[in-house]
Amino acid sequence: MDALTLLHDRVSCPVLLEPGPSKEQLEQIYQAALRAPDHGAIRPWRFLTIEGDARKNLGTLFSKAMLSDNEELSQERQEKARNMPMRAPVVIVVVAAVKEHPKVPLLEQEISAGCAAQNIILAAHALGLGAMWRTGDMAYHPVVRAGLGLSAEETVIGYIYLGSPKKVRQAPQHNQADYVQQWEGELS
Ligand SMILES: Cc1cc2nc3c(=O)[nH]c(=O)nc-3n(C[C@H](O)[C@H](O)[C@H](O)COP(=O)(O)O)c2cc1C
């Protein structure tokens, strides 16, 4: 697949099945992540690979987090939380690991980590895999942050679910004129 076709046709895949990425494919995916643009070469990111039974531990963490907010959470909601990470063979947690820098604001560093997440998704598609970027409350909950081992400076940028797509839908077409304007400015 050529690069522009990949960029134009990429779609998210909410239902992801086995097989997940092989070890070699995961290496390719992480190499792409590590090529994200990065002002000041700060490398403001780290990644957690969660696969196999470790997904169950993440699910338990989600359920614990929800129970900490509502100790009367129904069994059904607890079960749903436990099953969230089972929606794909592999989940990558993209973490922005930012630090104060004299020239690079923290926002720019978080954007870089977001670019790394996008590179993961694009690399997955280039390899014929499917991907879905998810966040929700479980990306920001203190119980989850602690369970994932995040420091105070770190943020979950997203959970990237990876696997074999059940179905790949057609990418929607957008009207560029709705978003793109020519700017000429004024000569004074
Ligand atoms: C930062 C971020 C967080 C997201 N979180 C969720 C989420 O929690 N649940 C969800 O269904 N989609 C989420 N999305 C949107 C999907 O990843 C996806 O982009 C959207 O469904 C549109 O599909 P498309 O990528 O095929 O256009 C998120 C996207 C981004 C960039």
Side-chain angles (χ1 to χ4, degrees), residues 67-94:
L67 273 168
S68 76
D69 289 337
N70 173 13
E71 57 187 27
E72 287 169 13
L73 192 71
S74 70
Q75 288 294 334
E76 194 187 345
R77 295 282 303 279
Q78 290 180 45
E79 178 75 9
K80 196 170 170 203
R82 277 197 295 272
N83 282 329
M84 278 159 62
M86 308 308 287
R87 290 177 290 188
V90 172
V91 182
I92 292 177
V93 190
V94 178

Side-chain angles (χ1 to χ4, degrees), residues 151-173:
S151 70
E153 297 74 33
E154 292 182 322
T155 312
V156 170
I157 291 294
Y159 297 100
I160 311 294
Y161 286 69
L162 293 174
S164 302
K166 185 170 180 203
K167 193 170 131 197
V168 179
R169 75 183 206 287
Q170 185 120 28
Q173 297 297 306

Side-chain angles (χ1 to χ4, degrees), residues 123-169:
H125 279 271
L127 291 164
L129 294 160
M132 177 93 182
W133 184 338
R134 296 181 186 274
T135 48
D137 294 347
M138 293 300 101
Y140 313 112
H141 199 288
V143 169
V144 178
R145 289 177 51 85
L148 291 173
L150 264 62
S151 70
E153 297 74 33
E154 292 182 322
T155 312
V156 170
I157 291 294
Y159 297 100
I160 311 294
Y161 286 69
L162 293 174
S164 302
K166 185 170 180 203
K167 193 170 131 197
V168 179
R169 75 183 206 287

Side-chain angles (χ1 to χ4, degrees), residues 41-80:
I42 294 169
R43 309 276 174 253
W45 46 55
R46 64 190 184 95
F47 309 93
L48 305 174
T49 311
I50 302 183
E51 53 193 332
D53 278 353
R55 292 172 304 161
K56 291 188 187 156
N57 297 338
L58 182 62
T60 304
L61 193 55
F62 286 173
S63 152
K64 263 193 199 166
M66 289 186 196
L67 273 168
S68 76
D69 289 337
N70 173 13
E71 57 187 27
E72 287 169 13
L73 192 71
S74 70
Q75 288 294 334
E76 194 187 345
R77 295 282 303 279
Q78 290 180 45
E79 178 75 9
K80 196 170 170 203

